[in-house]
Amino acid sequence: MVSQNPDKPLTESGRLRQSVTRLQRQTEQLSRILELSQQLTSTLELQPLLQEIIRAAAELTDTEAASIMLYDENAGELRFAAITNVAQEQLTRIRVPIEGSVAGVIWKTGQPMLVTDAYRDPRHYDGTDQATRFQTRNILGVPLAYKDRNIGVLEALNKCGDEPFTEEDTRLLCALASQAAVAIQNAQLVGALQQAYQKLNQLDTLKSDFIAIASHELRTPLAIVLGYASMLKDTTSGPTADQLEVVVQAALRLRGLIEEMVNLSHLDAGETVLELAAFPIQELVFTVCTEVDSLATAKGQTISLHVPPDPLPIKADRSQITIVLNNLLTNAIKFTAPGGRIAVSAEQHGSEAWIAVTDSGIGIPASDLERIFEPFYQVEPHMNRRHGGLGLGLSIARGLIGLHSGRIWAESVVGKGSRFTFTLPTSQ
Ligand code: ADP
């Protein structure tokens, strides 16, 4: 084949052929960039992603190696994140000064940069070569930019066959860098999210451990205080007995709070064992309403019952459902003004019994109707709360009803009142 003489002007068809070849090559490169960018955006783990980027950078620019440096906000310097054939452990020790390095200039100016003779170029920082035993001869570096911010630098090192870098190399590396920066940012965000999630889990475990230990440790001394105070109260009279009654009541309130913590920690640990039995729901409703009636009467409130005349048998753990209904009723009393109305109803809905506690109280904003079932969540901010409680009653209720394969939910109109409903399987 006769080679084309570069000095001889090209014919029309020769020029056409050349442009077709160039366009073909550009199309191939663009489709390769597209392919790579799809690969990059689907890799969410940072280290495999960085390896993928340096492999792609070396492939596109036909170079021996490539590297990525990322800007460390805390240290205020660039750090190597990946270099071809260098192990990750070795990388973390290599730092690149912003002043006095090619990467530093690229990071600061946000412009691509070409270094044709790294040995002689004073801008080249040779600390990296010493640490990695790699000999950099020439460099094409481009910034990794994400939303007007340079997050690092991507460099292609030593063009194969010591050919000079071309404008096309710069274009391709820039195109890769813009995709890579987005993918790196995404992977970093996913990593940060995973870390935060892990931390949250650790905190949750810590909280559960704290509740389990605290409730256990508080139980015994409290039982002693309650026992002695009750005994002393029964053996004295007059003002001393009245004062001791105050101590007993306070200790009983404390016992209620500790019981809530114990219940929650058992539920959390999956240690709550149900003792299922079939019994009419009316029995349980009457018992709990009678128990809390004195609290309601003290506030001038009335509790009305709306239950079917015939027994409505349910299959449930009596003591656990007592806790649920007791929590709902004491809340209704607590969050309803003196003189208000409270209603307890039970109805059969197919194979379920629906038990509801309705009050004419302060109500709950719609945005809080789900959150109130989370442990420790209370609508009123902790600092200016007028009502006592730990914020555990409803989360315990939801946990216990869940164990019975039932559901519990709240409906409310602020200023008018609330209704809490739970379902239980009937025993037929
Ligand atoms: P606690 O009553 O100890 O605060 P709960 O888990 O039982 O904890 O309730 C969580 C929060 O839900 C309460 O602090 C209150 O803000 C809200 N809440 C519960 N029941 C009612 C009710 N009947 N009316 C208004 N708000 C309620």
Side-chain angles (χ1 to χ4, degrees), residues 257 260 327-336 357-365 368 371-381 385 387-397 410-412 417-420:
L257 294 176
E260 277 202 328
N327 284 350
L328 297 184
L329 268 165
T330 46
N331 275 348
I333 296 168
K334 191 160 63 170
F335 296 106
T336 299
V357 176
T358 311
D359 64 53
S360 60
I362 60 171
I364 302 157
D368 284 321
R371 298 206 65 191
I372 51 173
F373 289 97
E374 290 169 14
F376 300 106
Y377 188 80
Q378 299 179 312
V379 175
E380 281 189 322
R385 263 170 9 100
H387 308 281
L390 290 175
L392 294 181
L394 290 178
S395 63
I396 291 169
E411 298 152 277
S412 186
S418 312
R419 172 183 295 141
F420 286 82

Side-chain angles (χ1 to χ4, degrees), residues 11-284:
T11 61
E12 189 66 24
S13 70
R15 267 202 299 276
L16 209 64
R17 233 189 342 255
Q18 252 191 3
S19 356
V20 169
T21 319
R22 200 175 54 242
L23 277 173
Q24 256 174 351
R25 205 180 50 237
Q26 282 179 351
T27 315
E28 275 165 24
Q29 282 165 341
L30 276 176
S31 73
R32 181 73 187 122
I33 289 262
L34 201 71
E35 207 180 306
L36 286 169
S37 114
Q38 275 164 351
Q39 253 172 30
L40 296 187
T41 42
S42 62
T43 314
L44 285 176
E45 255 185 84
L46 190 60
Q47 273 316 316
L49 172 71
L50 296 172
Q51 292 304 324
E52 194 65 35
I53 297 168
I54 52 172
R55 208 188 46 69
E59 176 201 310
L60 284 173
T61 55
D62 193 22
T63 46
E64 288 172 12
S67 71
I68 295 173
M69 280 147 276
L70 294 178
Y71 182 66
D72 183 329
E73 304 256 351
N74 295 329
E77 58 189 9
L78 286 165
R79 296 220 172 148
F80 271 103
I83 312 182
T84 310
N85 295 333
V86 179
Q88 184 58 30
E89 312 80 68
Q90 207 182 339
L91 282 186
T92 44
R93 278 177 268 128
I94 313 172
R95 275 141 203 212
V96 182
I98 299 273
E99 305 300 334
S101 74
V102 171
V105 178
I106 298 170
W107 181 79
K108 274 199 300 192
T109 59
Q111 294 299 321
M113 194 166 149
L114 195 64
V115 174
T116 45
D117 188 353
Y119 296 120
R120 300 220 181 92
D121 199 315
R123 296 168 302 181
H124 175 56
Y125 169 70
D126 60 4
T128 316
D129 286 0
Q130 284 167 18
T132 58
R133 292 172 203 273
F134 181 82
Q135 292 199 330
T136 308
R137 298 191 300 279
N138 44 52
I139 307 169
L140 172 61
V142 296
L144 286 163
Y146 179 80
K147 286 190 182 165
D148 299 335
R149 201 164 53 89
N150 290 334
I151 61 165
V153 174
L154 174 62
E155 287 184 349
L157 311 164
N158 296 355
K159 181 86 177 165
C160 289
D162 278 336
E163 292 282 318
F165 280 107
T166 62
E167 264 180 38
E168 202 162 81
D169 289 331
T170 312
R171 222 168 22 84
L172 287 173
L173 202 61
C174 283
L176 177 71
S178 67
Q179 304 295 323
V182 178
I184 290 173
Q185 195 68 18
N186 284 348
Q188 281 177 332
L189 282 176
V190 169
L193 220 73
Q194 277 168 345
Q195 267 181 10
Y197 188 67
Q198 260 175 15
K199 197 148 184 194
L200 215 69
N201 273 343
Q202 280 168 357
L203 284 175
D204 200 53
T205 313
L206 220 70
K207 181 210 73 191
S208 301
D209 289 353
F210 170 76
I211 292 175
I213 294 167
S215 52
H216 186 259
E217 291 300 313
L218 291 173
R219 249 177 166 181
T220 319
L222 185 67
I224 297 171
V225 171
L226 195 57
Y228 277 110
S230 307
M231 191 187 75
L232 283 171
K233 192 198 84 174
D234 292 344
T235 52
T236 44
S237 56
T240 315
D242 294 344
Q243 285 155 0
L244 283 166
E245 174 60 18
V246 175
V247 175
V248 170
Q249 287 309 319
L252 282 173
R253 270 205 306 280
L254 205 55
R255 191 173 68 179
L257 294 176
I258 292 170
E259 285 310 320
E260 277 202 328
M261 284 160 64
V262 171
N263 285 337
L264 179 78
S265 96
H266 283 173
L267 268 170
D268 256 7
E271 288 166 357
T272 313
V273 184
L274 295 186
E275 286 177 25
L276 295 177
F279 59 90
I281 186 66
Q282 284 93 336
E283 268 181 32
L284 191 142

